[in-house]
Amino acid sequence: MAKKDERLPKKRYEKELFRLQAQLVTLQEWVRQEGARVVVVFEGRDAAGKGSTIKRVTQYLNPRIARIAALPAPTERQRGQWYFQRYVEHLPAAGEIVLFDRSWYNRAGVERVMGFCTKEEYQRFLNQAPTFERMLVEDGILLRKYWFSVSDAEQERRFRSRLEDPMRRWKLSPMDLESISRWEDYSRAKDDMFVHTDIPEAPWYVVESEDKRSARINMIAHLISTIPYHEVQRRPLELPPRPAAHGYQRPPRELQNHVPDHAASLS
């Protein structure tokens, strides 16, 4: 378990995070202008830090270019589709980045462990996933897959922290708590998944996330290092002069509904 004093110091973390986020903005502009397509898959244990890392990746990015795909449980209709079909709908078009907060690997993890899919469906997934990903890569998509790894002790500590925090309790679900008693089942599922889907065209990258600060820095730095982007020339922008007024008069304020000045009551 990462102790508090073993974490990356906050000031050093924030300085490097901001530098990396500036690089992400540069990468985003390259993606937009070059028409590149980027898919980043975030997988790992519950409470391993995937969500907080995604939040830092997208903090300064344009949501029209970089979007998060966090799919809910499939509908009855989607259960009757080809398994990968509903994920295909969320793949990027030219000039877009999509971050999958969990992905098609649900089938190799929670669905397998919790019995939400049959053995035949699971085996079919293991056979098809490498082919599916090779197709994405062959078509020009830049696919990156990250597995966030955390110890059982640190996961339990984070669960307890969420349980005691009313602002973060929503992050816990019965399924999350179930993962404590099924720790080894999830470990075996992950190992089997890696055996079948850690392919040269789309390898897995493990992010050690005992220290969330280090995990965020390491993941973002690695992502940036694997994409051959460069700074692109942007069209210079200049504020135009404000034109002279031509007799416009604002309607009386009392004719409009205004939000009460709650801020004034704070003093």
Side-chain angles (χ1 to χ4, degrees), residues 62-99:
N62 184 343
R64 293 189 179 92
I65 296 174
R67 53 188 170 84
I68 301 169
L71 278 59
T75 64
E76 195 60 38
R77 181 177 182 276
Q78 288 170 333
R79 289 191 185 96
Q81 295 175 340
W82 175 48
Y83 177 71
F84 294 94
Q85 190 168 336
R86 73 189 189 113
Y87 294 100
V88 169
E89 296 175 3
H90 296 271
L91 292 175
E96 292 181 347
I97 302 168
V98 176
L99 311 175

Side-chain angles (χ1 to χ4, degrees), residues 8-258:
L8 182 65
K10 187 175 182 180
K11 285 188 177 180
R12 195 183 309 167
Y13 158 72
E14 290 179 341
K15 182 179 179 180
E16 180 61 8
L17 176 63
F18 189 74
R19 187 190 72 81
L20 292 171
Q21 288 173 324
Q23 291 299 307
L24 285 170
V25 172
T26 302
L27 184 151
Q28 169 190 251
E29 187 62 18
W30 174 83
V31 167
R32 186 185 69 81
Q33 288 203 25
E34 296 294 322
R37 292 170 293 164
V38 179
V39 170
V40 187
V41 168
F42 291 79
E43 291 287 347
R45 300 278 190 178
D46 294 317
K50 301 179 295 298
S52 63
T53 303
I54 291 172
K55 192 177 296 184
R56 271 65 177 190
V57 170
T58 59
Q59 186 172 357
Y60 295 105
L61 301 185
N62 184 343
R64 293 189 179 92
I65 296 174
R67 53 188 170 84
I68 301 169
L71 278 59
T75 64
E76 195 60 38
R77 181 177 182 276
Q78 288 170 333
R79 289 191 185 96
Q81 295 175 340
W82 175 48
Y83 177 71
F84 294 94
Q85 190 168 336
R86 73 189 189 113
Y87 294 100
V88 169
E89 296 175 3
H90 296 271
L91 292 175
E96 292 181 347
I97 302 168
V98 176
L99 311 175
F100 279 93
D101 186 356
R102 296 203 179 276
S103 65
W104 45 90
Y105 283 101
N106 276 339
R107 175 137 296 176
V110 64
E111 289 192 18
R112 177 198 175 182
V113 173
M114 300 302 295
F116 295 156
C117 67
T118 66
K119 289 183 179 179
E120 291 75 18
E121 288 172 330
Y122 169 68
Q123 288 299 329
R124 191 181 308 129
F125 170 83
L126 293 182
N127 291 331
Q128 291 184 352
T131 302
F132 173 67
E133 291 177 0
R134 287 189 184 101
M135 290 172 63
L136 299 183
V137 173
E138 286 172 7
D139 202 59
I141 287 178
L142 299 169
L143 174 62
R144 302 293 181 267
K145 303 186 308 193
Y146 292 98
W147 176 270
F148 284 70
S149 178
V150 67
S151 68
D152 53 353
E154 178 62 15
Q155 183 194 55
E156 184 173 345
R157 188 194 69 77
R158 293 176 186 177
F159 279 165
R160 291 190 184 281
S161 175
R162 292 178 180 182
L163 198 60
E164 295 164 2
D165 184 349
M167 302 297 284
R168 298 165 63 239
R169 200 173 296 153
W170 63 269
K171 289 187 172 185
L172 274 181
S173 70
M175 197 79 68
D176 295 330
L177 301 180
E178 184 80 17
S179 67
I180 294 177
S181 58
R182 294 177 180 265
W183 178 268
E184 289 193 4
D185 293 336
Y186 274 104
S187 296
R188 293 188 186 96
K190 186 268 283 188
D191 293 343
D192 290 344
M193 180 185 80
F194 270 39
V195 167
H196 289 85
T197 63
D198 186 21
I199 58 176
E201 298 87 345
W204 279 105
Y205 296 103
V206 176
V207 181
E208 296 293 345
S209 61
E210 292 292 284
D211 173 11
K212 285 187 178 183
R213 293 175 186 169
S214 295
R216 295 164 191 160
I217 292 293
N218 293 340
M219 180 269 153
I220 298 173
H222 180 269
L223 173 64
I224 289 171
S225 74
T226 65
I227 296 180
Y229 75 100
H230 55 82
E231 191 159 356
V232 295
Q233 191 68 35
R234 302 191 190 192
R235 188 179 70 178
L237 299 175
E238 197 172 306
L239 285 177
R242 188 175 297 279
H246 294 286
Y248 168 77
Q249 289 188 342
R250 181 176 178 174
R253 295 177 62 87
E254 58 268 19
L255 296 180
Q256 299 171 335
N257 295 313
H258 287 264

